[in-house]
């Protein structure tokens, strides 16, 4: 599946995988914080950690996954120009940079 992917060819697939992991761990922390909030502030810390992990992982992917030739930010292009149901498949199916065709 990833043999022809530009992400694998340029060695940036690990960045996308790391961002997905950060978002998932952030979601678990957020849900734990919401479920365990007793009004004493313990849940608020988990909620903050979850939000920081989730949003931080997404931000790092948007900034860090880019074309080595022209600098086009592929994850940002995917989430800003594609529909919510199509950006993941578009990103994985990329075989060349959409800007410079590298």
């Amino acid at each position: 599946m990833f043999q022809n992917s530009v992400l694998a060819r340029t060695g940036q697939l690990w960045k996308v995988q790391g961002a997905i992991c950060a978002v998932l761990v952030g979601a678990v922390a957020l849900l734990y914080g919401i479920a365990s909030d007793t009004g004493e502030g313990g849940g608020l810390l988990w909620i903050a950690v979850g939000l920081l992990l989730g949003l931080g992982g997404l931000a790092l992917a948007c900034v860090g996954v880019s074309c080595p030739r022209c600098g086009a930010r592929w994850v940002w292009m995917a989430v800003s120009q594609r529909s919510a149901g199509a950006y993941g498949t578009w990103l994985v199916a990329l075989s060349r940079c959409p800007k410079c065709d590298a």
Side-chain angles (χ1 to χ4, degrees), residues 26-99:
V28 169
L30 180 67
L31 291 174
Y32 178 76
I34 291 170
S36 69
D37 190 22
T38 60
E40 297 173 5
L44 186 61
L45 177 64
W46 284 103
I47 292 171
V49 167
L51 286 173
L52 286 174
L53 272 173
L55 294 174
L58 182 60
L60 284 174
C62 286
V63 172
V65 179
S66 61
C67 177
R69 186 173 174 194
C70 71
R73 295 187 173 133
W74 295 327
V75 173
W76 177 249
M77 290 172 69
V79 297
S80 66
Q81 298 173 1
R82 304 285 179 235
S83 67
Y87 68 85
T89 54
W90 178 83
L91 185 63
V92 171
L94 271 181
S95 60
R96 295 175 167 263
C97 177
K99 277 197 173 182

Side-chain angles (χ1 to χ4, degrees), residues 1-3 5-20 65 74 91-92:
M1 179 174 179
F2 295 112
Q3 296 87 359
S5 174
V6 71
L7 293 172
R9 201 171 58 246
T10 58
Q12 298 188 70
L13 190 58
W14 69 271
K15 294 177 186 179
V16 175
Q17 292 169 336
I20 291 170
V65 179
W74 295 327
L91 185 63
V92 171

